[in-house]
Amino acid sequence: MTAAMTRRQTLKTGETGKVKRSQPVRGAKAAAGTSRQAAKPAKRSTKSAVAKPARAPKAAVSLKSKTKSVMGDEKRTPKRVARASASKRPAGAALIARSAKRTLKLEINGLNDLMAALSKQMAAPFANAVRVLDDARGRVIVTGIGKSGHIGQKIAATLASTGTTAHFVHPSEASHGDLGMITPDDAVLAISWSGETFELGNILNHTRRFAVPLIAITSKSGSALGKAADVVLTLPKAPEACPHGLAPTTSTTMTLALGDCLAIALLEAKGFTADDFKQIHPGGSLGAQLKYVSDIMHAGDGALPLVGKDVSMADAIVTMTQRAFGCLGVVDRRGRLVGVITDGDLRRHMNNGLLTATTAEIMTKAPKTIRPDLLASAALEQINSARITALFVVEKGKPVGIVHIHDLLRAGL
């Protein structure tokens, strides 16, 4: 009886002698496992009174250890870190300026080579190209792909703005219907540095099939483009400014300059004038500079501040105030401008007799004038140099208009 009670007590308390919460016991193995599980918390609780603070979660410990590892690697390889930092450090201003000057020098050398070629081997082909483009009854079709295409678009725009009808046709679009834009009356200017651009093939075939004049700008006269062309403008093989010799830099600069040469030569051959230029540049600052005085002047008898020579200053000041130009023109009996009265003249003659004086006594003789057929920019220059605010526009000695500095400013000059 006593032995059985002792056995049950042992099963309840476990090997440590501490009382466990009652739980079913299923055999000796279950009891042993239960006693071991009960023993572990007891040991932890015993140590917790004097144990170290609880450790951080595993993930945090892992991040900290990784950080320490990286920091340790940096400390162990300072030279490697220094080299990496130096590679990312931006270059100094002097180094950047040196690179820019080197680029300009190489491109200037390319332009010098182009100028030398135009004086020698390219002189005759260039003259032939100008004649072919000038004789074209239709338009100049400029084409090219990649960087040559971008340069071609600018050349087409320059030609169009200087009197030669031109537009750009993309080679890829030409293969999908835009070949219809090219007629036998046109002339084609094809650009390719290598002369072997695959995308130009359909345009070349089209020009040969329909006898469209073809001018090539390339560095290789023996290329497919050079052999197909009627006129070949061979660019000198100058080194690119790109340190790897790959990015089109010097070559595109030479091509662009050669396009400008063609445009200006055609402008001169056609007799294209500043007035012609104005007709196709009505907007912007260029259009403003090409306006004439007659385009912006105030005209008409009711608009001009004019009085006779014998008018009293009392009446003249009323007219001057009504017209609001800050000046007054004085005309003789024939209607010719013989003098001008300005605000300055009024201040200089400010006395008791000003209002009773005549305009002939106060006016400034031989005033500055301008013709209506001169450019408005000439009027602005004259106003600035004379330090005045308005000019009378005179034709055959008679005033036909007046232009104020505010009119010039509003016109965009």
Side-chain angles (χ1 to χ4, degrees), residues 186-370:
D186 299 331
V188 173
L189 178 64
I191 306 169
S192 172
W193 176 255
S194 67
E196 301 292 346
T197 304
F198 173 78
E199 291 84 353
L200 289 175
N202 289 329
I203 291 183
L204 300 187
N205 293 333
H206 185 80
T207 61
R208 301 306 84 190
R209 179 183 177 185
F210 294 99
V212 180
L214 175 62
I215 300 171
I217 297 179
T218 180
S219 66
K220 297 179 181 179
S221 57
S223 62
L225 175 60
K227 292 178 180 178
D230 299 303
V231 181
V232 182
L233 301 178
T234 307
L235 295 170
K237 296 179 180 178
E240 301 285 8
C242 169
H244 308 299
L246 300 175
T249 45
T250 306
S251 58
T252 51
T253 299
M254 291 190 297
T255 305
L256 184 62
L258 185 58
D260 288 342
C261 293
L262 289 170
I264 300 305
L266 287 166
L267 177 150
E268 294 172 346
K270 295 175 182 293
F272 194 75
T273 65
D275 189 58
D276 297 326
F277 196 86
K278 176 195 170 185
Q279 301 304 317
I280 54 178
H281 291 81
S285 59
L286 285 176
Q289 293 174 18
L290 293 171
K291 286 184 178 180
Y292 291 99
V293 172
S294 58
D295 295 330
I296 60 176
M297 71 181 186
H298 298 269
D301 294 337
L304 301 184
L306 297 174
V307 293
K309 292 176 58 176
D310 301 327
V311 176
S312 67
M313 283 303 301
D315 295 332
I317 291 175
V318 173
T319 302
M320 186 176 179
T321 304
Q322 290 174 343
R323 299 294 185 267
F325 285 103
C327 65
L328 193 65
V330 181
V331 294
D332 60 13
R333 293 180 180 179
R334 297 181 180 179
R336 295 177 301 181
L337 187 70
V338 294
V340 65
I341 298 174
T342 65
D343 293 336
D345 293 319
L346 296 180
R347 289 191 296 271
R348 284 188 291 272
H349 294 84
M350 188 65 68
N351 52 47
N352 295 332
L354 174 63
L355 297 179
T356 58
T358 62
T359 53
E361 297 172 338
I362 305 297
M363 70 179 187
T364 298
K365 297 179 180 180
K368 296 184 181 300
T369 61
I370 194 169

Side-chain angles (χ1 to χ4, degrees), residues 66-87:
K66 288 181 180 179
T67 305
K68 288 183 177 179
S69 175
V70 173
M71 293 176 64
D73 290 342
E74 291 180 355
K75 291 178 180 178
R76 286 193 296 272
T77 58
K79 292 183 179 180
R80 185 183 304 171
V81 175
R83 285 196 296 269
S85 300
S87 64

